[in-house]
């Protein structure tokens, strides 16, 4: 005999957004069930930020947060991010005595293990008397045409391997497709489609990029080199630029610069990398060469102290610079020096793809936010249905923006659920 239960709110997905929403809704006196197919909860929080969880960013301080997000409707995030700010989340950490620090560019990390954040959220759920169902598979769910006898408030029915759940409100917090190994699934998109929502095609984002003939061109030999660069894609008003660190890998490029640009990159489009962002190298190489007896390689080392020697050797070992690499700087024709400068200031590469969802940190695209109320996260298609966190078409920059979106969207939904007069 299958067990049947009623909850005011059932939340599917006990990740960052799901736990925050469950805790807040439960603490408002509503009965809440939190379902997850994973047995181990909060895995993405635990592995985030190299195990220290970059839980928010100070730039999300109540002012317009939309510039830090990729979405078909970037303004959608404004209300939620002003309603629940980076400071609000830090106050919660303070309450639990969880120490944290700022790394750079406003990125806030735990001093110790990310596990503390998971435990804090679990404790917040306990304070809200949330009922947990882990290792729980949802078999089907439906909007009920008529409330079943004895469950007059119910609007949804959820069939699971742990029983039948009726609820008045259903919150989808199942995240995106990044890292299936820790529980990611397309479940949220399927539910959204079932209720008539449109999905912006989900793609891997904040992900390393790959390039054709990388090893054939010898770039694999640069593996391990990291340096600060200016990276960009698109042109005119569509241009996106980041000043971040680049990392050469065996199979392509990674590091914060590439992860950031990957969220904007479209297949077929080039990416421009300025390897010496603070110097107009073509101009300086031609201007300052007069009377210089040092070799070109030495000149480059002096002019660009941030360029690792291995990268300089590689660059000068390529055509057409190979022939002049050992010559005196003053003797090298300006045309060649200009070409060298431009090749380092405007290195243009064409990615062939990315490492995909397995290696991505987030998913770009998702449930179209045009069909969601930005103040409550409630579906405009179906009363009582909510979407929170990464399942929506909201993708934050690297640097704590994705967790802050999870917290903020969850808090907005929880406030709407608490205000619901039904039990
Ligand atoms: C390696 C890595 C590092 C990251 N580091 C950072 C960082 O430092 N800072 C930052 O801001 N962001 C970071 N992120 C992104 C961040 O983790 C996510 O944006 C955030 O967790 C999204 O929260 P969410 O609650 O929407 O989804 P999730 O946290 O992904 O939670 C979704 C939950 O739904 C469950 N679920 C999925 N499908 C089903 C189903 N069919 N049935 C039941 N349950 C289901 C999952 O098991 C999971 O528990 C990182 C991501 C990765 C992968």
């Amino acid at each position: 005999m299958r067990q049947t239960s009623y909850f005011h709110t059932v939340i599917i997905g006990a990740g960052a957004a799901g736990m925050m929403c469950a805790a807040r809704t439960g603490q408002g006196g509503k009965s809440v069930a939190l379902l997850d197919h994973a047995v181990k909860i909060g895995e993405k929080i635990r592995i985030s930020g190299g195990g220290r969880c970059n839980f928010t960013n100070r730039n999300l301080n109540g002012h317009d947060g939309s510039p830090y997000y990729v979405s078909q409707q970037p303004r959608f995030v404004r209300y939620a991010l002003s309603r629940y700010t980076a400071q609000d989340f830090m106050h919660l950490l303070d309450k639990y005595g969880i120490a944290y620090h700022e790394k750079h560019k406003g990125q806030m990390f735990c001093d110790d293990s990310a596990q503390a954040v998971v435990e804090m959220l679990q404790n917040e759920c306990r304070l809200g008397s949330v009922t947990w169902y882990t290792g729980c598979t949802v078999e089907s769910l439906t909007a009920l045409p008529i409330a079943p006898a004895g469950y007059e408030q119910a609007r949804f029915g959820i069939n699971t391997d742990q029983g039948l759940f009726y609820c008045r409100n259903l919150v989808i917090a199942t995240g995106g497709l990044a890292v299936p190994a820790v529980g990611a699934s397309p479940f949220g998109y399927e539910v959204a489609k079932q209720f008539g929502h449109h999905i912006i095609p989900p793609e891997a984002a904040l992900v390393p990029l790959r390039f054709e003939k990388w090893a054939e061109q010898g770039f694999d030999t640069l593996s391990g080199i990291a340096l600060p660069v200016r990276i960009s894609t698109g042109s005119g008003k569509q241009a996106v630029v980041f000043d971040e660190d680049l990392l050469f890998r065996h199979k392509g490029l990674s590091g914060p610069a590439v992860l950031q640009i990957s969220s904007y990159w479209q297949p077929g489009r080039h990416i421009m990398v300025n390897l010496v962002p603070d110097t107009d190298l073509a101009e300086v190489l031609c201007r300052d060469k007069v009377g210089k007896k040092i070799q070109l390689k030495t000149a480059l080392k002096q002019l660009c102290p941030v360029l690792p020697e291995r990268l300089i050797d590689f660059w000068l070992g390529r055509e057409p610079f190979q022939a002049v690499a050992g010559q005196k700087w003053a003797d090298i024709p300006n045309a060649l020096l200009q070409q060298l400068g431009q090749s380092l200031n405007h290195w243009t590469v064409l990615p062939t793809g990315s490492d995909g969802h397995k290696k991505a940190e987030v998913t770009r695209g998702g449930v179209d936010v045009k069909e969601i109320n930005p103040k409550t996260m409630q579906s405009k298609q179906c009363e009582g249905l909510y979407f929170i966190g990464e399942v929506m078409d909201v993708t934050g920059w690297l640097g704590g923006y994705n967790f802050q979106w999870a917290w903020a969207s969850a808090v907005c939904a929880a406030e709407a659920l608490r205000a619901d007069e039904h039990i």
Side-chain angles (χ1 to χ4, degrees), residues 13 15-17 36-37 48-49 54 174 179 183 185 187 361 390 400 402-403:
D36 203 296
H37 64 174
S48 68
N54 177 196
T174 46
V179 196
S185 85
F187 180 86
E361 282 200 13
E390 200 186 310
N402 285 294
F403 278 133

Side-chain angles (χ1 to χ4, degrees), residues 261-281:
I261 214 75
S262 72
S263 297
Y264 292 89
W265 175 70
Q266 298 292 340
R269 275 219 203 138
H270 288 87
I271 283 174
M272 276 66 68
V273 184
N274 185 344
L275 293 159
V276 200
D278 296 329
T279 312
D280 182 342
L281 207 52

Side-chain angles (χ1 to χ4, degrees), residues 327-369:
Q327 285 183 17
K328 282 183 207 155
W329 181 9
D331 296 344
I332 300 169
N334 277 355
L336 211 53
L337 291 175
Q338 261 169 5
Q339 201 178 339
L340 174 62
Q342 275 170 8
S343 72
L344 285 160
N345 279 140
H346 304 278
W347 183 37
T348 303
V349 285
L350 180 63
T352 43
S354 77
D355 278 8
H357 294 298
K358 262 191 191 171
K359 299 280 177 191
E361 282 200 13
V362 286
T363 305
R364 172 172 85 184
V367 182
D368 190 343
V369 295

Side-chain angles (χ1 to χ4, degrees), residues 24 32 45 54 63 67 78 82 96 117 139 166 176 214 220 242 259 270 293 315 320 326 352 361 384 398 405 422:
R24 289 275 175 141
V32 179
I45 300 175
N54 177 196
H63 292 102
R78 280 181 167 178
S82 64
Y96 282 80
V117 177
E139 288 156 359
Y166 287 128
W214 191 248
D220 59 332
F242 290 100
L259 299 188
H270 288 87
K293 293 181 179 150
W315 219 262
T352 43
E361 282 200 13
L398 190 75
W405 173 245
H422 296 85

